[in-house]
Amino acid sequence: MLIGRRPPCARLARSCVAVPLAALALGACSNSTAGKPSVASSSAHPTASATPASSPPGRASVPSPSDSASGPPASSSAPASNSTPASSAPATTAPPKRATVVVTYSGYDRGSHTVSAAAFVPSVLVPAAGCTLVLTRDGVTERVSKQAAPAANSMQCGTILQGGLAAGTWTGTVEFHSVTVRGTSAPFTVQVPA
């Protein structure tokens, strides 16, 4: 009689129970891994994101050269000026018109010892004018003037007197002058006695 040994059947039963338990454990591990997605497959082929990365807060975005080149060019045309340049040419005044001076009387007055002449200017009316008696002899010229007066349709010189002349023959004319009209009479002669 053997004491302290287990029968072979008991050892066999223990091994028979351990094998099914190990198989169940392996089956549970395989089922738990089969239900989870593969991390390696998802990370091996990453997909590109359509949304651009946003700039960090506090930093302004810098436009690319292509964006600045495609924009419309700034207008550099200046507004047209409507001002007209002033003429630098000096203003020209018309020359005075020529008038006819008619002498109605010329001679020497023995009582006053003066030469006198009377004249008028027909078809002329001006606001201000004068008449001058011009006498010349041997290179000497004497002049005396008076204001002309307007009449109905003429300017009247009246009688002009010149005294203190030396004896001899004097040649005289009557000149009419204003801003717009000028004229000289035909010459005449006056004999001054000694």
Side-chain angles (χ1 to χ4, degrees), residues 80-176:
S81 177
N82 295 328
S83 60
T84 304
S87 176
S88 58
T92 57
T93 56
K97 296 180 180 180
R98 303 304 299 178
T100 301
V101 180
V102 179
V103 176
T104 59
Y105 168 81
S106 63
Y108 180 77
D109 185 3
R110 289 181 178 270
S112 60
H113 305 285
T114 58
V115 172
S116 61
F120 75 99
V121 181
S123 304
V124 173
L125 285 174
V126 291
C131 297
T132 301
L133 173 61
V134 181
L135 298 169
T136 60
R137 173 183 178 271
D138 297 337
V140 177
T141 302
E142 299 290 343
R143 295 174 178 270
V144 59
S145 299
K146 66 174 297 186
Q147 187 175 357
N153 61 347
S154 63
M155 298 296 293
Q156 299 289 328
C157 295
T159 301
I160 307 172
L161 302 176
Q162 175 66 56
L165 299 175
T169 302
W170 292 79
T171 301
T173 57
V174 176
E175 297 177 353
F176 175 84

